[in-house]
Amino acid sequence: MYKNSNAKEKSLGMDMKITESGNSSPRVSNCKGPEEPNLTEFPSEVLQRIFSFLPYSDLFSSSLVCRMFRDNASVPVLWKKFPIPADEITQDDGLARLLSVLKLPRFRTMQHLDLNRVFMAMAKKKKGGKKRPVFADHSPDDQSKFLEVLEIASKLPLTWLNLSYNDLPSVFVSSPQFLSRLILNIPHVELFATCRGQGASSDFIGNVLGNLTEASALHTVDLGGCDLDTLPIYLVTKLNYLTNVALEGAFMTKEQAKAFMVDMAKGSKIKKFDIGCELIVDKDTYSDVFENLDPELVATALNNLEHLIYNKLKDAKGDCCDFPPDLHLSRFLQEMGRNTKLKEVEMEENNFFHVAPEVVAKAFNNLEHLEMKPNPYNTSAQIVATLDLMAQKTRLKYVLFEYEDLSWLNPGLVARAVVQVEQVDMKCSLSRAHVNAILREIGAGSRLRRLNLSDNDVSKVPTHVREAAVKLLRREGGVVKLEQKGKKLYLKC
């Protein structure tokens, strides 16, 4: 947090007086020194190229050296990805100050803009002491200034805009078509919790989806935490026109979810679907809306994606074996093992306990990207089955092992599995037997091209084994290097 405006402006590269015309006037001097040649003799193109490698704090410091440095360090192209802390500016100094910052010439080519929480709805207590967002009236002056902020954003070449937690329904009432055009003209827009709670309207989201076409720039949207249950079903299905969709914690009706999944199963443009750790909530039952749909439909639809994030049990308590079998998860994994377009899944928080090891093994080996992380809901039999099939036949191209200890696994099994994958990161503690087995297994028939053994010492492996493994890994452009630290030797990439 910035303790005062001066500290904040310095970190922003804005420790300067902003004139009415929007020009900045830092105190600078001529670049003249006793030694020649100096940097003032460099062409502007060269100086700007040098400045492009500096962090923003150093770039701002450079702009205070002299007029020439100021002119070259302030070109908009160098500031196009600067993370303006709009939320903090607004909290400390109000929307008027944020407007002044956004009008600075150096931000004319801004590509990423985070306006998260700059025009928030107020949270009020409901009966029972539970809090739920209630959209309150803002002053006409604040609403006018926020609208002006959005107008500035609409003129920037943005590729990413975060409008999460803002009171967009009130903006939609005053400027409905403007808000839709703004959102549809930016490739990636975050709208988390922009219409949720008493008094919130999802009309602006309906307007966006209603105007969404194949020609729209928008391809990624986050509608997590939004009440979508009042939208017409045909508009909800238009989410399938997008490439990346996040709906973590959104509210839907069963009918909306069914129509959405039916279209996804038939053929969706969605490649990445993020449900995160907060389920899509059934408006009527307050349960996971997908659990109220046919398991076959859900399995077919989700296997028609490329990347899925879906964790159901983040806050679950108790012994995993006491939970009832998850029929939807089991059917999904069966389909994934047989016929899937999925390349990566992030589902480590799910309860796999009741799923047969061979089903889990086939599903995970039918992906391209797998991260094996500690999960109390995985059984040792499932892990062994996955590695066993990996050693025989796998589609995997990348595997991350992030367990604390793999000493309980057979070294030969681990080695045979690892060498059948192109890229492997072993971010876990390995025994000397495991390290030795992996390097000995690397041979002419292995697919391995990139291996990272992290903090596992390879100095005890026979020199001829180690050198042969490194030579084979570097074959055909493979990436690997040895790092000596004291008496220990590490193999990394």
Side-chain angles (χ1 to χ4, degrees):
M1 277 290 181
Y2 299 109
K3 295 183 179 179
N4 54 60
S5 295
N6 289 335
K8 175 173 64 184
E9 290 171 355
K10 287 180 181 178
S11 72
L12 284 171
M14 299 168 196
D15 185 22
M16 53 187 74
K17 180 181 179 181
I18 300 177
T19 65
E20 292 181 1
S21 63
N23 296 322
S24 54
S25 305
R27 291 173 291 180
V28 294
S29 59
N30 291 322
C31 281
K32 291 183 179 179
E35 297 181 2
E36 297 292 345
N38 60 39
L39 289 176
T40 61
E41 297 179 347
F42 283 22
S44 292
E45 299 79 20
V46 175
L47 272 180
Q48 291 172 22
R49 176 64 174 167
I50 294 171
F51 288 156
S52 71
F53 293 99
L54 298 179
Y56 286 110
S57 57
D58 292 344
L59 182 61
F60 173 63
S61 297
S62 299
S63 71
L64 300 179
V65 172
C66 63
R67 289 187 177 88
M68 184 178 184
F69 273 31
R70 178 197 63 189
D71 294 342
N72 284 283
S74 300
V75 294
V77 70
L78 297 177
W79 295 86
K80 62 184 180 181
K81 293 186 179 179
F82 178 72
I84 295 176
D87 177 26
E88 296 178 27
I89 294 173
T90 305
Q91 285 186 24
D92 291 349
D93 302 310
L95 285 166
R97 175 59 182 161
L98 177 60
L99 278 169
S100 299
V101 170
L102 291 174
K103 289 177 180 178
L104 288 172
R106 70 182 62 184
F107 297 133
R108 285 198 304 263
T109 62
M110 179 71 65
Q111 292 183 346
H112 295 179
L113 182 59
D114 188 350
L115 296 178
N116 168 41
R117 301 173 191 267
V118 302
F119 191 62
M120 284 186 66
M122 302 299 292
K124 296 183 179 180
K125 284 189 177 180
K126 292 184 69 180
K127 290 182 179 180
K130 293 183 179 180
K131 287 188 176 181
R132 179 126 167 110
V134 178
F135 281 73
D137 291 332
H138 296 275
S139 71
D141 184 56
D142 279 348
Q143 188 157 332
S144 175
K145 285 185 172 62
F146 181 60
L147 188 57
E148 190 176 350
V149 167
L150 295 182
E151 288 172 351
I152 292 174
S154 71
K155 297 173 184 177
L156 298 173
L158 294 175
T159 59
W160 180 84
L161 175 64
N162 189 354
L163 294 172
S164 297
Y165 294 99
N166 288 311
D167 184 4
L168 297 186
S170 67
V171 177
F172 178 73
V173 171
S174 59
S175 305
Q177 297 309 317
F178 164 72
L179 184 59
S180 295
R181 285 196 304 270
L182 169 67
I183 293 172
L184 290 169
N185 286 329
I186 299 173
H188 186 150
V189 181
E190 305 279 337
L191 297 171
F192 191 91
T194 47
C195 59
R196 185 166 188 172
Q198 182 181 340
S201 169
S202 60
D203 288 350
F204 83 92
I205 294 176
N207 193 265
V208 169
L209 294 175
N211 288 288
L212 179 66
T213 68
E214 292 185 358
S216 302
L218 182 69
H219 61 68
T220 299
V221 70
D222 183 352
L223 293 174
C226 291
D227 290 346
L228 307 178
D229 53 279
T230 59
L231 292 177
I233 290 176
Y234 81 94
L235 289 180
V236 174
T237 61
K238 289 191 73 173
L239 289 170
N240 283 293
Y241 288 18
L242 300 168
T243 305
N244 303 309
V245 176
L247 293 175
E248 180 176 10
F251 275 71
M252 278 187 178
T253 66
K254 178 180 176 180
E255 292 73 24
Q256 287 174 327
K258 180 179 179 180
F260 175 52
M261 299 301 275
V262 166
D263 275 14
M264 184 186 293
K266 290 178 180 177
S268 174
K269 289 188 176 180
I270 298 177
K271 293 184 178 180
K272 181 178 179 180
F273 187 32
D274 184 356
I275 311 174
C277 295
E278 292 188 27
L279 310 174
I280 301 177
V281 182
D282 187 317
K283 180 239 182 186
D284 297 315
T285 64
Y286 287 88
S287 59
D288 181 353
V289 73
F290 289 164
E291 296 290 331
N292 299 327
L293 301 179
D294 176 30
E296 186 74 24
L297 171 61
V298 176
T300 303
L302 296 183
N303 275 286
N304 217 13
L305 307 167
E306 291 187 7
H307 186 176
L308 174 65
I309 305 173
Y310 188 15
N311 290 299
K312 301 182 183 182
L313 295 172
K314 181 181 179 183
D315 299 315
K317 297 180 180 179
D319 196 319
C320 58
C321 62
D322 293 333
F323 297 133
D326 189 334
L327 300 180
H328 282 74
L329 177 62
S330 181
R331 182 64 194 91
F332 166 73
L333 292 174
Q334 289 172 6
E335 182 69 17
M336 189 163 77
R338 288 200 297 259
N339 181 30
T340 189
K341 292 182 180 178
L342 281 166
K343 297 179 180 178
E344 179 179 0
V345 295
E346 297 178 46
M347 301 182 68
E348 61 269 15
E349 298 292 343
N350 286 273
N351 182 13
F352 297 91
F353 184 82
H354 294 286
V355 183
E358 60 271 18
V359 172
V360 174
K362 288 180 181 178
F364 288 168
N365 277 284
N366 221 9
L367 300 171
E368 291 186 5
H369 183 114
L370 178 63
E371 297 185 1
M372 301 187 71
K373 299 179 179 180
N375 180 357
Y377 312 114
N378 264 133
T379 67
S380 57
Q382 290 168 345
I383 296 172
V384 170
T386 300
L387 292 177
D388 189 48
L389 186 57
M390 194 185 301
Q392 300 173 50
K393 183 181 180 181
T394 186
R395 288 180 56 202
L396 287 166
K397 295 182 179 179
Y398 172 82
V399 176
L400 165 68
F401 292 88
E402 209 172 68
Y403 298 105
E404 290 185 10
D405 184 13
L406 289 181
S407 60
W408 61 276
L409 282 169
N410 181 282
L413 173 61
V414 174
R416 291 193 303 274
V418 164
V419 299
Q420 294 306 316
V421 181
E422 291 181 13
Q423 301 179 37
V424 178
D425 282 323
M426 304 292 292
K427 295 185 178 180
C428 53
S429 178
L430 298 172
S431 69
R432 187 182 301 179
H434 284 85
V435 173
N436 193 42
I438 291 172
L439 295 186
R440 285 182 181 276
E441 194 68 30
I442 298 173
S446 69
R447 296 171 55 204
L448 192 61
R449 295 290 178 272
R450 177 183 172 274
L451 176 63
N452 178 15
L453 292 179
S454 299
D455 295 327
N456 292 289
D457 184 15
V458 301
S459 64
K460 304 301 181 182
V461 177
T463 303
H464 71 281
V465 173
R466 187 173 62 240
E467 290 179 348
V470 170
K471 183 178 179 180
L472 286 168
L473 286 171
R474 288 173 176 168
R475 175 193 59 189
E476 299 179 5
V479 179
V480 66
K481 61 181 178 181
L482 292 170
E483 292 183 1
Q484 185 82 45
K485 291 185 178 180
K487 295 182 178 181
K488 294 185 177 182
L489 189 63
Y490 303 103
L491 190 149
K492 299 185 177 184
C493 54

